[in-house]
Amino acid sequence: MTFLPWDQGEGFGALSPDGQTLAFTRADAATERVYLAPARGGDARLLSASAGAVPRWSPDGKQIAFAANRGYSGGIFVISPDGRGERRLTIDGGWPVWWPDGRQLAYLTLGPQGNQVRVVSLDGATRLLGSIKLGGSNHPFAVFPDGKRIAGTNAVHVSDEIWLLEPRK
């Protein structure tokens, strides 16, 4: 096992599809930002001067999505791994997850009835994903490779649940 030589409050690592580069969040005195580093170890470089957390690589490795923070209200951004072309896709939401087609991102928002899953396309069109309402405060989720199902969790009080969303037949 290799331990990477960073010790400044890093977290939320995401490995590039080719396995060569690690995107991660690093906290500094003022905020959190997204960094990249060789997966085998080496110097990390700042990806964007913008505040950012929870980076996620696109399936083709050509873009990295990230949230403005670890909350649900800062918005979703995309940027190329060389640091160019940063753009904001949403004004709210957090915790982005790429759709398998690489043209959409699912993300979490706070709605009137609790946390909700929304989807944004790279052209900025957004939609609410069904009537999913998540309870609790920790909601990691994943989109299946077929793009038709989502796996996720609810964290409520002292018990948890894992759920699977599938289309109706």
Side-chain angles (χ1 to χ4, degrees):
M1 176 178 284
T2 301
F3 291 96
L4 302 176
W6 311 306
D7 61 1
Q8 300 178 0
E10 290 88 2
F12 307 105
L15 193 59
S16 62
D18 67 6
Q20 299 299 308
T21 307
L22 183 69
F24 62 94
T25 303
R26 176 181 281 171
D28 61 30
T31 190
E32 293 179 317
R33 294 185 191 355
V34 176
Y35 284 76
L36 298 180
R40 295 185 184 268
D43 291 335
R45 72 172 169 85
L46 181 64
L47 178 63
S48 168
S50 301
V54 198
R56 296 292 176 253
W57 289 87
S58 63
D60 64 6
K62 294 181 179 178
Q63 296 187 79
I64 299 169
F66 65 94
N69 55 51
R70 286 184 280 156
Y72 305 107
S73 60
I76 303 299
F77 298 78
V78 292
I79 190 170
S80 68
D82 64 9
R84 291 189 285 202
E86 180 177 331
R87 61 191 176 105
R88 186 177 202 151
L89 291 179
T90 69
I91 59 169
D92 64 352
W95 297 90
V97 176
W98 283 94
W99 219 258
D101 66 9
R103 295 186 305 253
Q104 304 176 87
L105 287 143
Y107 63 101
L108 297 173
T109 62
L110 289 175
Q113 305 298 318
N115 294 324
Q116 300 172 325
V117 178
R118 292 190 174 273
V119 177
V120 62
S121 66
L122 291 179
D123 66 10
T126 63
R127 63 184 164 90
L128 181 63
L129 190 61
S131 59
I132 301 169
K133 304 254 189 311
L134 303 171
S137 59
N138 187 17
H139 312 295
F141 68 98
V143 178
F144 276 69
D146 64 8
K148 296 180 181 178
R149 299 173 289 164
I150 289 180
T153 64
N154 272 341
V156 181
H157 304 293
V158 295
S159 65
D160 296 331
E161 61 185 39
I162 295 175
W163 49 263
L164 174 64
L165 174 68
E166 297 187 59
R168 292 183 184 190
K169 296 181 181 186

